[in-house]
Every structure is written in structure tokens, then in C-alpha cells.
Amino acid sequence: MQTSRPRLGGALAATMSMAWVVLPALLLAASCGPSEHFNGQVVEPVKEAPHLAGVNWNGKRFDLKDLRGKVAVVFFGYTFCPDVCPFTLAKMKQVYADLGEEAKGLEVVFVSVDPQRDSVEKLAAYVPSFDRRFYGLRLEPNEVNQAARAFGLTVQYGTPKEGIETDTNYFVDHTGTFFVIDRAGDLRLKFPPNVALDVIEPDLKKLLAAPAPASPAATAGGKVAAARLEIRDARVQLFPSNGTVYFDVVNPGASPDRLLRVETSVAGAAETHETIDDGGVMRMKARPEGFEVPAGGTLSLSPGGKHLMLVDPKPPAAGTKEIPLTLHFEHAGAIEVTARLESPGAGGAS
């Protein structure tokens, strides 16, 4: 048996019809929140910024992931560039001036695509001349190729004036895009190289005003936050030709982490190594992959086992008792530590 519906009056029917059209739109707007307008090209879908790591102009290792929590502007160029690159750096210097206090949350990263001529020393003379707060990265040739693929760059080298295999007076055609990474470490915006300040600055202010990302421990995947890793008994021994660093890393979290590298002012580099007793033969193994910090466990760096070897040690000032270290972890990020300076051989393996 079919039941007939009562017919609605014309005005009421029209009103109800409009309600059914408007209501879903209102609900959709309420669920999405106000749309955020940007002047720059929005990268969609949102994705993590490409891997980018190299040596900064001050000789220290740089990893883009360590800038998480800040907004970063990344662009590529070379120090022999006569036009675009210096104007790009000057433009970012003006951005810093215009932003004032807000600029504390902004990092500027200039990446050289000319590893043959742009040494760390060359970058050290060039980048700080615009602003010492800027990063200036040198990449190895294979790393330049990787970055070009990851960021979608075009990099084309001209022929040197005095022929191939020389470094005399050649130009490098390269993508001049500004890549903007937000506080969460995601690639959010792109701007052309000739972007005006009144176009890029409002977008940077919006990203800088956004709340800092949630602690990694609260995100999906259960990453370990830096504050949850405890560094114990850090100590350094220096010898004429090298040095060693030992410490324990306690991880009370439910997910593992990894110690990737360590920076210190008393050496040119710190390499992850492990000593292995192979039937009485003590073998030194490089561990470029770093060391895992087990979930709910402890990573121990100690004599006769896992340790850091200091390369090109620099004698500390007389009376120095403590050495600053920066430990870089895969998930926890950078952790600053003060290690005590020990006499050579103290606490050695038995």
C-alpha cells in the first residue's frame, strides 16, 4: 500500500528546498574551517619537505629536519652568480628587517649547486656578508643531483672559459624558486625568483603565526620527543691525533630512535664507530648509519664498544673542564649536552 505525502505550500516548499541546499554547504564550511588564502603557489597535497643535508658555511653539518618548529625559506644558487643570487639574498635580508621580532622564527637556507667552485670557505666569505643568520650549504656533486631530483630543479652547467675540467668563468643555469617549509616540516609554498616583498611577506607571517607543531611523541607513529631522551655520563677524551666520546642515552618511550651524528667545537667531525673483539683481534667498524636507541631501553657508548671518534681534534683552552656537544637524533632532533673532559685513558676497557 502506497502512502501519499501531504503537499507543501509553494512558499514553504521553496524555503525548505533552499534549506536543503544551504545547510550542507554550511556544514561543510563549518567542518573545514575558514579557507586560508596564500599569495604563493600552494603545494598540494601537503607533503614533507624533501631531504636536504650538507655542510653549512661555518663547517657544521646541516639537516633541514633540524629546523622543524620554524618556517624555512630554501633556494638554490651559486656564489659566482652575477645577478639573481645576490639579489635573492639581499631580498631575504630585507625580509628579516621587515619582519622584525617575527624573523626569529624564520630560517633562510641558500644551497649551492656549484660544488666544484663553492667550497665551504668560499661560502663562509659570501653568505655571512648578507646576513650571518643565513645558512649557506655546500653539497657534494651526488647530493646536488639528489636535491635537484627531490625539489624538481633544473641545473645546467656552462662550458668553462678555458675548457672542460677547469673551473674558469662558467655560469650555472638553475631553478630560482623560493621553497617555503612550514613549522611542521612540510613543503607548503613556492614563489618565483622575482617575487615582490609585499607578496611573500604576508604568507610568511601567516606561517609564522601558526602554532608550533605537536610534540613528535603525540603524532602518529609514536615518535620520541627530545625531552624524553635522557643523556647520562657524557665524557670526552682528547688525544694528539683523535679523540673519543662516550655517553648513555636512556629512552623511556614506546618507540625506538636513532643517534645519527654529533657535533662539537673541539673537532672537525665526530664519526660513529664500534670496536669488535674478533677472536682476540680488535677491529674498528665504522657505523655511518648511527646507533639505534631501543624503545624502553638504553644505548651505551663505552670503551671497547660503541663510541664516537673525533677527527681533527682541536686543543681546548687551558683549564677547560667541559665540552659542548650537539647530539642529532632521527626523531628527537638536536639535543645540547655538556660533557666532562677526561684525562686520556680514563675508564678504559679492561
Side-chain angles (χ1 to χ4, degrees), residues 5-38:
R5 294 181 180 177
R7 296 177 63 86
L8 298 174
L12 179 59
T15 301
M16 294 292 290
S17 176
M18 290 179 62
W20 284 110
V21 172
V22 174
L23 183 58
L26 292 175
L27 290 174
L28 179 60
S31 63
C32 296
S35 59
E36 191 168 17
H37 172 74
F38 287 103

Side-chain angles (χ1 to χ4, degrees), residues 301-315:
L301 275 61
S302 58
K306 297 181 177 68
H307 60 275
L308 299 173
M309 185 180 80
L310 300 181
V311 181
D312 187 22
K314 302 171 184 178

Side-chain angles (χ1 to χ4, degrees), residues 159-197:
T159 302
K161 183 177 180 180
E162 295 181 7
I164 299 174
E165 301 302 327
T166 69
D167 60 2
T168 55
N169 191 29
Y170 62 86
F171 299 113
V172 183
D173 297 333
H174 60 88
T175 299
T177 302
F178 291 86
F179 298 91
V180 182
I181 292 90
D182 66 14
R183 291 179 179 272
D186 295 326
L187 177 58
R188 291 291 301 280
L189 301 170
K190 296 180 183 180
F191 291 93
N194 60 349
V195 62
L197 293 176

Side-chain angles (χ1 to χ4, degrees), residues 203-261:
D203 285 6
L204 295 177
K205 288 182 178 181
K206 287 179 182 179
L207 295 178
L208 288 167
S215 165
T219 62
K223 294 180 181 178
V224 180
R228 300 193 63 189
L229 294 182
E230 182 182 354
I231 314 301
R232 298 177 178 175
D233 195 24
R235 58 226 191 258
V236 174
Q237 297 183 4
L238 295 177
F239 309 98
S241 57
N242 54 39
T244 50
V245 180
Y246 308 113
F247 50 81
D248 294 336
V249 183
V250 180
N251 178 11
S255 298
D257 207 326
R258 180 170 292 275
L259 174 66
L260 300 176
R261 68 181 191 278

Side-chain angles (χ1 to χ4, degrees), residues 28-330:
L28 179 60
S31 63
C32 296
S35 59
E36 191 168 17
H37 172 74
F38 287 103
N39 296 324
Q41 177 189 344
V42 178
V43 178
E44 294 180 331
V46 174
K47 60 181 180 180
E48 185 176 3
H51 171 73
L52 180 63
V55 180
N56 188 31
W57 61 261
N58 60 6
K60 294 184 178 181
R61 288 291 302 176
F62 169 93
D63 194 317
L64 185 60
K65 293 191 299 182
D66 294 339
L67 300 186
R68 189 176 186 273
K70 291 190 174 184
V71 175
V73 178
V74 178
F75 49 94
F76 297 80
Y78 64 114
T79 66
F80 287 82
C81 177
D83 182 55
V84 175
C85 299
F87 281 102
T88 297
L89 286 159
K91 181 178 294 183
M92 292 311 302
K93 180 179 179 65
Q94 186 60 50
V95 168
Y96 265 23
D98 292 346
L99 291 180
E101 286 296 310
E102 293 178 272
K104 292 181 178 179
L106 179 67
E107 300 289 1
V108 173
V109 184
F110 171 79
V111 187
S112 172
V113 293
D114 189 11
Q116 182 169 339
R117 292 181 294 180
D118 281 347
S119 63
V120 172
E121 292 76 17
K122 182 68 177 179
L123 288 164
Y126 183 76
V127 176
S129 68
F130 293 91
D131 197 304
R132 294 187 63 83
R133 292 170 292 181
F134 292 173
Y135 289 97
L137 301 191
R138 184 189 184 277
L139 309 182
E140 294 297 331
N142 65 309
E143 294 173 330
V144 172
N145 294 334
Q146 293 169 3
R149 289 193 297 269
F151 282 87
L153 308 176
T154 294
V155 181
Q156 297 175 337
Y157 300 93
T159 302
K161 183 177 180 180
E162 295 181 7
I164 299 174
E165 301 302 327
T166 69
D167 60 2
T168 55
N169 191 29
Y170 62 86
F171 299 113
V172 183
D173 297 333
H174 60 88
T175 299
T177 302
F178 291 86
F179 298 91
V180 182
I181 292 90
D182 66 14
R183 291 179 179 272
D186 295 326
L187 177 58
R188 291 291 301 280
L189 301 170
K190 296 180 183 180
F191 291 93
N194 60 349
V195 62
L197 293 176
D198 59 0
V199 173
I200 190 173
E201 286 180 354
D203 285 6
L204 295 177
K205 288 182 178 181
K206 287 179 182 179
L207 295 178
L208 288 167
S215 165
T219 62
K223 294 180 181 178
V224 180
R228 300 193 63 189
L229 294 182
E230 182 182 354
I231 314 301
R232 298 177 178 175
D233 195 24
R235 58 226 191 258
V236 174
Q237 297 183 4
L238 295 177
F239 309 98
S241 57
N242 54 39
T244 50
V245 180
Y246 308 113
F247 50 81
D248 294 336
V249 183
V250 180
N251 178 11
S255 298
D257 207 326
R258 180 170 292 275
L259 174 66
L260 300 176
R261 68 181 191 278
V262 176
E263 295 174 350
T264 176
S265 59
V266 299
E271 299 177 354
T272 47
H273 286 190
E274 183 174 10
T275 302
I276 298 175
D277 185 346
D278 184 8
V281 178
M282 307 306 290
R283 303 186 185 279
M284 184 76 70
K285 296 288 185 180
R287 300 297 188 196
E289 73 280 8
F291 300 126
E292 181 177 276
V293 187
T298 300
L299 164 67
S300 292
L301 275 61
S302 58
K306 297 181 177 68
H307 60 275
L308 299 173
M309 185 180 80
L310 300 181
V311 181
D312 187 22
K314 302 171 184 178
T320 299
K321 296 182 179 180
E322 295 181 329
I323 302 296
L325 305 173
T326 303
L327 315 185
H328 293 269
F329 294 88
E330 182 176 13

